[in-house]
Amino acid sequence: MATIKLNDGNEMPQVGFGCWKVDKDTCADQIFNAIEVGYRLFDGAQDYGNEKEVGEGINRALNEGIVARDELFVVSKLWNTNHAPEHVEEAFNQVLSDYKLDYLDLFLIHFPVALKYVPPSEKYPAGLTGTEDDKLRYEDVPILDTWRAMEALVKKGKVKSIGISNFTGALIDDLLRGAKIKPAVLQIEHHPYLQQKKLVEWVQSKGIAITAYSSFGPQSFLELDNKGAQSVPGLFDHKDIVSIAKKHDKTPAQVLLRWATQRGIAVIPKSNKTERLVQNLTINDFTLTDDDLAAIAKLDMGLRFNDPWDWDKIPLFV
């Protein structure tokens, strides 16, 4: 499997399994099945609410000898309510407990948005508004303070690499000025409708690897009644993507994933069907032509589906 060498020397698989919205009832079986067919990177988060089930699938595979722990690359993310330095390690320990693992391979700050702490005993995962009402409550925690606590996890040997998610270039630039450990990975929404070319170019120039989420564009957001997702054609049915897929004798999904990996970006698709799992994993055996890339480049419309502005007019991407 292709890997990406991170700036701290660790190797990250370029194709992984994304755990967002994986149903808890089937999650353990899906993770186990994904490991059986060859997946080694699993991208989870506190906010997904299924880390116990992800851990169950991982540990079943470990116990049956299908894979060794050092062959896996397990990821989680620090939720917004745990940005205060005194809560970072507490949150991380909860993740380890849920996964039933001794360490993580990568831990990301999920969003550069600090919310009021919610004790796990009251609500876990905390969500956006905690337990009081439907209002978001913020905490004045600078990103660098949170990052210092993330760095401490590395120094304690609890996590191999640390990174960030949903950060803008200006925020990353500011973080780099104070970071003692450079972020290894930036995870961003990235698909033909939101290509973020300048951000990708700049971040890669800084030696930070990029992981794309929502590689299939509106597909993941239709069931969430996202108005933006409902306003555009699905990428699986888009005439340009379908045409490119036919030319290479591949599926539209494989074309969308290869479009990212061909430019050095990691991807984390998911599926509950074994055939599609295998297809998504085997995407680096063909090369998109310059004409293919040019056709896909024309689809960019800056259309973002995951935007904190929709939560509470948070100006992250304004």
Side-chain angles (χ1 to χ4, degrees):
M1 179 185 294
T3 61
I4 294 175
K5 185 102 176 243
L6 303 182
N7 58 29
D8 55 15
N10 295 316
E11 297 271 349
M12 180 177 74
Q14 194 176 22
V15 181
F17 185 97
C19 300
W20 180 46
K21 295 197 304 176
V22 176
D23 189 85
K24 291 170 72 170
D25 292 339
T26 60
C27 183
D29 289 336
Q30 285 187 250
I31 299 301
F32 180 81
N33 187 38
I35 292 174
E36 279 198 309
V37 302
Y39 283 81
R40 294 296 178 262
L41 184 155
F42 293 89
D43 181 84
Q46 290 180 286
D47 188 54
Y48 299 167
N50 58 9
E51 290 194 317
K52 286 184 178 179
E53 291 74 19
V54 172
E56 182 183 333
I58 288 173
N59 281 280
R60 191 192 311 169
L62 292 173
N63 294 335
E64 293 188 15
I66 295 171
V67 69
R69 174 65 186 92
D70 61 5
E71 295 176 295
L72 295 175
F73 194 97
V74 183
V75 184
S76 185
K77 305 178 189 73
L78 180 78
W79 186 236
N80 304 335
T81 53
N82 298 109
H83 276 216
E86 64 269 24
H87 297 309
V88 171
E89 187 168 9
E90 173 195 28
F92 185 87
N93 290 340
Q94 177 73 53
V95 172
L96 284 187
S97 175
D98 287 346
Y99 277 146
K100 291 185 168 53
L101 297 174
D102 296 326
Y103 68 91
L104 289 187
D105 297 275
L106 177 63
F107 196 46
L108 307 173
I109 298 177
H110 205 152
F111 283 93
V113 178
L115 298 179
K116 181 181 177 182
Y117 174 69
V118 177
S121 58
E122 290 185 13
K123 185 182 180 185
Y124 189 86
L128 291 173
T129 58
T131 58
E132 295 179 44
D133 50 35
D134 289 332
K135 294 181 180 179
L136 275 70
R137 290 172 169 79
Y138 300 91
E139 285 195 338
D140 293 327
V141 183
I143 291 169
L144 187 58
D145 288 359
T146 305
W147 190 252
R148 287 278 182 264
M150 299 279 284
E151 292 174 329
L153 296 174
V154 178
K155 294 172 183 175
K156 290 181 179 182
K158 290 189 168 188
V159 62
K160 291 186 175 183
S161 301
I162 51 176
I164 49 183
S165 179
N166 300 299
F167 274 53
T168 61
L171 287 174
I172 299 167
D173 200 27
D174 187 62
L175 177 59
L176 289 174
R177 293 188 181 101
K180 295 177 181 177
I181 299 176
K182 193 174 181 179
V185 175
L186 167 68
Q187 187 171 127
I188 57 171
E189 180 181 344
H190 178 265
H191 45 76
Y193 289 147
L194 181 69
Q195 300 186 21
Q196 305 201 71
K197 296 174 185 177
K198 291 180 180 178
L199 179 64
V200 169
E201 178 184 346
W202 183 82
V203 168
Q204 289 181 330
S205 77
K206 295 297 181 181
I208 300 171
I210 295 177
T211 298
Y213 71 79
S214 297
S215 295
F216 303 146
Q219 187 73 19
S220 298
F221 295 90
L222 289 172
E223 63 192 71
L224 303 178
D225 293 326
N226 184 288
K227 292 181 180 178
Q230 295 169 348
S231 69
V232 291
L235 287 170
F236 289 164
D237 302 316
H238 194 287
K239 61 182 180 61
D240 293 333
I241 302 299
V242 170
S243 175
I244 294 169
K246 287 180 178 177
K247 182 170 73 173
H248 292 280
D249 194 24
K250 297 292 181 179
T251 67
Q254 288 174 308
V255 168
L256 293 168
L257 296 174
R258 182 57 178 146
W259 172 71
T261 64
Q262 191 166 315
R263 291 173 299 123
I265 296 172
V267 291
I268 45 173
K270 69 172 182 291
S271 177
N272 56 11
K273 296 183 178 180
T274 300
E275 179 184 1
R276 289 181 184 170
L277 280 174
V278 174
Q279 289 175 346
N280 291 345
L281 194 59
T282 54
I283 55 171
N284 286 335
D285 59 354
F286 71 105
T287 301
L288 297 173
T289 67
D290 289 343
D291 287 344
D292 297 335
L293 296 175
I296 296 174
K298 292 178 181 178
L299 302 183
D300 192 10
M301 58 179 72
L303 181 55
R304 186 183 302 278
F305 302 118
N306 190 14
D307 191 345
W309 183 264
D310 299 329
W311 304 349
D312 194 36
K313 294 190 176 180
I314 298 170
L316 178 56
F317 300 116
V318 172

